[in-house]
Amino acid sequence: MKQVLIGRRVATPSSLAPNYIGITQSAYGWATDVPGNGQHPWSCAGTFRNLLVTLSAPVAGEGNQVIIALRVNGGTTALSVFLNEGETTARNVSDEVSVAAGAKVSLLHDPVLSGVTPMFEVSLEFESIVENESGYGFAGGAISNSTPRYAGLFYSDTWTATARNNENVVATDGTVTRFDVGVSAYPGADGNGYDFIIYKNGVAQDG
């Protein structure tokens, strides 16, 4: 099954160092100090291809460049685009990247010498190995150590204290067959832990 993944980066990334964010993330989640904080698990095996990027403003300055690239399991892949002085759009239709179920994926934004931080829009194609299977993911930011927090199962900018603020509407019948979660740090003292539970129509699911 083919999907087209679309994201709009409205938060301003750093102009001084590489930045990392989830592949469909919108306004939240740029990580500059720890690349792993911007990644999330991808729950089905398949292939990423056809990366298209549009910047909100041209790259300025002779010799300057902006790089946008797919990262998998902490490594930058060949599925990347390079935008030079005066350019606002770039596309890579030549390279493909295959991933296993559970691979950790993210996007790299590297301003190189430009020192500029244009907002950008990105689309990316994913084709699963299993027929009619699709993947979703987001890097949802900080969770609470003391109270429940909620996020959309298929997409969310952040975790909130109110469940209805982050519900996703499902447009067609189907079955959730795999659910992957990654955290950037351990829960703390022995005996502590995090429970991640899928809710459907306000009811916790135990499957």
Side-chain angles (χ1 to χ4, degrees), residues 51-55 80-84 87-92:
L51 174 64
L52 172 64
V53 174
T54 300
L55 302 181
S80 57
V81 295
F82 302 82
L83 295 104
N84 299 302
E87 296 180 335
T88 58
T89 302
R91 188 171 202 162
N92 184 335

Side-chain angles (χ1 to χ4, degrees), residues 80-156:
S80 57
V81 295
F82 302 82
L83 295 104
N84 299 302
E85 180 188 9
E87 296 180 335
T88 58
T89 302
R91 188 171 202 162
N92 184 335
V93 296
S94 301
D95 297 298
E96 297 185 346
V97 177
S98 297
V99 298
K104 294 181 179 180
V105 298
S106 61
L107 283 180
L108 161 72
H109 163 273
D110 191 344
V112 193
L113 301 175
S114 64
V116 298
T117 57
M119 295 179 288
F120 65 92
E121 298 172 343
V122 58
S123 70
L124 186 65
E125 181 184 315
F126 175 76
E127 185 173 6
S128 61
I129 292 176
V130 179
E131 186 178 1
N132 296 326
E133 186 176 66
S134 56
Y136 302 88
F138 67 96
I143 55 178
S144 173
N145 285 325
S146 57
T147 57
R149 288 292 185 267
Y150 304 89
L153 179 61
F154 302 105
Y155 178 82
S156 187

Side-chain angles (χ1 to χ4, degrees), residues 164-177:
R164 291 194 62 83
N165 288 351
N166 261 332
E167 290 179 336
N168 295 152
V169 177
V170 180
T172 187
D173 295 340
T175 303
V176 176
T177 59

